Amino acid sequence: MHRTRVKVVEEALDANNTIARANREDFDRHGVTVVNFMSAPGAGKTTLLERVVSDLDGIRVGVLEGDVQGSMDADRLADLHVPVTQLNTDSGFGGECHLDANMVRSALPALPLAQIDLLLIENVGNLVCPAEFSVGEDRRVMVSSVTEGEDKPLKYPLMFRTCDLVLINKIDLLPHLDFDLDRFLYHLDQVHPDVERFLVSARTGEGLGQWRDWLTAVVSPEGALA
Amino acid sequence: MHRTRVKVVEEALDANNTIARANREDFDRHGVTVVNFMSAPGAGKTTLLERVVSDLDGIRVGVLEGDVQGSMDADRLADLHVPVTQLNTDSGFGGECHLDANMVRSALPALPLAQIDLLLIENVGNLVCPAEFSVGEDRRVMVSSVTEGEDKPLKYPLMFRTCDLVLINKIDLLPHLDFDLDRFLYHLDQVHPDVERFLVSARTGEGLGQWRDWLTAVVSPEGALA
């Protein structure tokens, strides 16, 4: 139906992968582990970052905030005294709906790569396009809020299929929802069998220890912190 | 920063508007009112449609379902015995994150335009790109769930600025959230002063009468139903 368009998308993706590799080399040279953090709007990405960034023992964290417009999330995270860089995508008409490798590359000079061990990139809130663009990350984490319903893995399969960890957030609301957790997990395993997943509540703190330990292990796989 | 890309986007939008006008003429010729229905993933679009489509007195409704993949929402709505057409956007790598005028145009032959008065188009769940593409609609309705937080109008301003009605959904969860409704409304008025807005709960039914009356008035502005 849109065959000519598909070709253009594939070419754009090749260019993206070339730049993502260049980013990867820069991150490696500085010994920085990079996590690309994605979700739908309002799933709780920023709060889940707020709850861990100041509490990762011995790991120096930096944050790159992707938003269509504004710096509300960056301001929240800067309050926690970690270096935060804002990247706005609104130079197009309504703004780009994702980060790509070139946008991240344009932000590299503003990032204190020599002073951090872990870079957390908060992508634009969107379950479609962010999954299509590598930015040179080591790991992909996605947040799925239980308020969004059990069908989301089936409706946005690429996002769920390409991530390394799913944080199932807002579980404090489960008693007040018609959300069938078993059904969600069944759908998740259909698109990404056995992907790692933690049940968390950014609000109550439940499950955040696992999330913190996962990040720590990604930076220091042998558990040997500097 | 991405100046050359902006030019391409503007050209694409011009082509979109040309096709949107052609859609508009086809809708007008058949006397069909068209509502473009948008939100973030999981805000409750399908449930809000389910709750009204079979209860619009004297108005013959059709639904066009936009999804990256699958037909779960179309199947739900078909159960209500309204004609439903599924439009999948997954011909690209990860799928298009929005409907555009050309996609809707490709679906027109499958739509029973001569047999309906109102076409409800459920867009792909996304707060960025769907707002950039007219599909030839008469009205734009967006759903913002209170679980998404008060900051969304400021973070996704084009969506909130270009819609004619905001359905503030899931208000049954307000007692269980740290959501400040006054703050959300203040942000909404900053980007779209005095836009019409209804507080609703698709789950409990609260506020759905207003939503039903609004749709009825859009189809029959003088209240004179056939």
Side-chain angles (χ1 to χ4, degrees):
Chain A
M1 190 159 58
H2 304 287
R3 207 160 286 279
T4 55
R5 183 181 292 174
V6 173
K7 176 116 185 73
V8 175
V9 170
E10 282 171 357
E11 280 166 13
L13 287 170
D14 280 352
N16 187 76
N17 286 337
T18 303
I19 300 169
R21 277 193 293 274
N23 291 348
R24 179 72 267 149
E25 287 163 15
D26 284 348
F27 296 141
D28 283 345
R29 195 166 46 249
H30 290 93
V32 175
T33 302
V34 179
V35 172
N36 188 355
F37 200 46
M38 302 181 277
S39 79
K45 287 189 299 305
T46 311
T47 310
L48 284 167
L49 291 183
E50 283 181 313
R51 299 296 297 261
V52 297
V53 292
S54 49
D55 199 21
L56 291 168
D57 218 19
I59 298 174
R60 299 165 303 168
V61 180
V63 177
L64 178 61
E65 269 298 328
D67 283 299
V68 174
Q69 198 172 305
S71 62
M72 298 180 80
D73 293 347
D75 296 343
R76 282 168 62 184
L77 288 159
D79 286 346
L80 302 172
H81 307 292
V82 294
V84 180
T85 303
Q86 179 72 49
L87 185 53
N88 284 131
T89 69
D90 66 352
S91 51
F93 169 42
E96 295 282 349
C97 62
H98 58 275
L99 297 181
D100 66 21
N102 200 42
M103 293 182 214
V104 169
R105 186 139 201 90
S106 73
L108 289 192
L111 290 167
L113 293 182
Q115 279 86 54
I116 61 175
D117 307 303
L118 173 64
L119 177 65
L120 296 161
I121 301 180
E122 184 175 342
N123 219 306
V124 179
N126 180 353
L127 286 184
V128 187
C129 302
E132 301 176 24
F133 293 87
S134 165
V135 296
E137 68 270 33
D138 295 275
R139 294 287 191 287
R140 291 182 164 199
V141 177
M142 75 155 297
V143 186
S144 190
S145 162
V146 293
T147 58
E148 294 166 17
E150 305 102 353
D151 56 350
K152 294 301 161 294
L154 303 183
K155 295 184 72 177
Y156 304 92
L158 188 73
M159 176 63 77
F160 285 86
R161 190 176 293 135
T162 62
C163 68
D164 300 291
L165 172 67
V166 180
L167 297 175
I168 303 167
N169 193 24
K170 306 195 189 182
I171 58 166
D172 55 294
L173 294 176
L174 281 175
H176 314 293
L177 303 174
D178 306 315
F179 181 85
D180 183 337
L181 180 60
D182 287 337
R183 196 151 169 248
F184 174 85
L185 295 174
Y186 174 75
H187 290 157
L188 178 60
D189 281 325
Q190 282 188 288
V191 301
H192 195 161
D194 300 323
V195 61
E196 210 163 355
R197 79 280 313 258
F198 300 144
L199 298 173
V200 300
S201 166
R203 192 176 182 226
T204 67
E206 194 174 342
L208 294 187
Q210 293 174 294
W211 161 225
R212 201 178 292 120
D213 293 346
W214 187 92
L215 278 173
T216 304
V218 166
V219 177
S220 310
E222 294 84 29
L225 296 179
Chain B
M1 190 160 60
H2 305 289
R3 205 161 288 279
T4 54
R5 181 180 294 175
V6 173
K7 176 115 187 69
V8 176
V9 170
E10 282 171 357
E11 280 166 12
L13 287 170
D14 280 351
N16 187 76
N17 286 336
T18 303
I19 301 169
R21 276 191 295 273
N23 291 348
R24 180 70 268 149
E25 286 163 16
D26 285 348
F27 297 140
D28 283 345
R29 194 166 47 251
H30 290 93
V32 175
T33 302
V34 179
V35 172
N36 188 356
F37 200 46
M38 303 181 277
S39 79
K45 287 188 300 304
T46 311
T47 310
L48 284 166
L49 291 183
E50 283 181 313
R51 297 299 295 262
V52 297
V53 292
S54 50
D55 199 20
L56 290 167
D57 219 19
I59 298 175
R60 298 167 304 168
V61 181
V63 177
L64 179 61
E65 269 298 328
D67 283 300
V68 174
Q69 198 172 306
S71 62
M72 299 181 80
D73 293 347
D75 297 342
R76 282 168 61 184
L77 288 158
D79 287 345
L80 302 172
H81 307 293
V82 294
V84 180
T85 303
Q86 179 72 49
L87 185 54
N88 283 132
T89 69
D90 65 353
S91 51
F93 170 43
E96 294 282 347
C97 63
H98 59 275
L99 296 181
D100 65 22
N102 200 40
M103 294 181 212
V104 170
R105 187 142 200 87
S106 73
L108 287 192
L111 290 168
L113 291 183
Q115 278 86 53
I116 60 174
D117 307 303
L118 173 64
L119 176 65
L120 296 162
I121 300 179
E122 184 174 343
N123 219 306
V124 179
N126 181 352
L127 286 184
V128 186
C129 302
E132 301 176 25
F133 293 87
S134 166
V135 296
E137 69 270 33
D138 294 276
R139 294 286 192 287
R140 293 182 163 199
V141 177
M142 74 155 296
V143 186
S144 191
S145 161
V146 293
T147 58
E148 296 167 15
E150 307 100 351
D151 56 350
K152 294 300 162 294
L154 303 183
K155 294 184 72 177
Y156 303 92
L158 189 72
M159 176 62 77
F160 286 86
R161 189 176 294 134
T162 62
C163 67
D164 300 291
L165 171 67
V166 179
L167 297 176
I168 303 167
N169 193 23
K170 307 195 189 181
I171 58 166
D172 56 293
L173 294 176
L174 281 174
H176 314 295
L177 303 174
D178 306 315
F179 180 85
D180 183 336
L181 181 60
D182 288 336
R183 196 150 168 249
F184 174 85
L185 296 174
Y186 174 75
H187 291 157
L188 178 59
D189 282 324
Q190 281 188 289
V191 302
H192 195 161
D194 300 323
V195 62
E196 212 163 353
R197 78 282 310 259
F198 301 144
L199 298 173
V200 301
S201 167
R203 193 178 181 224
T204 67
E206 195 175 343
L208 295 186
Q210 292 176 295
W211 160 224
R212 202 178 291 121
D213 293 346
W214 187 92
L215 278 173
T216 304
V218 165
V219 178
S220 312
E222 294 84 28
L225 296 181

